[in-house]
Amino acid sequence: MPAKRAAFRPRTAREIAEKVGCSQSTVRRYWALPRSEYEANSLSRSRPWEAMGMSRASWYRKGKPEPEVAS
């Protein structure tokens, strides 16, 4: 049962597996996200460049700008 985990991992799967006493694949399986959760947070699914009225390439060239929120 995968849980939410930070994207930054200070140690490799190999280091953790040696410390805990399990295999590297067990550590990676523990880190894994369900596909539905991964896709829900995916930029390709949310398409923020379309909300800004530009192409995906232009959006990346401009440094992934966030749309301005009207107050």
Side-chain angles (χ1 to χ4, degrees):
M1 180 171 96
K4 290 187 178 183
R5 290 172 190 74
F8 173 72
R9 297 183 181 104
R11 295 183 191 93
T12 64
R14 181 180 184 180
E15 293 169 340
I16 293 173
E18 288 174 0
K19 183 177 180 179
V20 177
C22 62
S23 70
Q24 292 179 41
S25 61
T26 302
V27 174
R28 287 190 199 103
R29 190 170 47 243
Y30 178 75
W31 277 340
L33 291 174
R35 184 163 184 85
S36 58
E37 186 176 338
Y38 174 80
E39 288 181 345
N41 296 324
S42 168
L43 286 174
S44 296
R45 292 281 183 174
S46 61
R47 299 179 184 220
W49 53 86
E50 287 183 355
M52 297 183 73
M54 64 175 70
S55 72
R56 185 175 182 171
S58 295
W59 186 74
Y60 276 107
R61 275 194 303 270
K62 293 184 184 206
K64 301 179 187 177
E66 295 292 322
E68 293 183 21
V69 178
S71 49

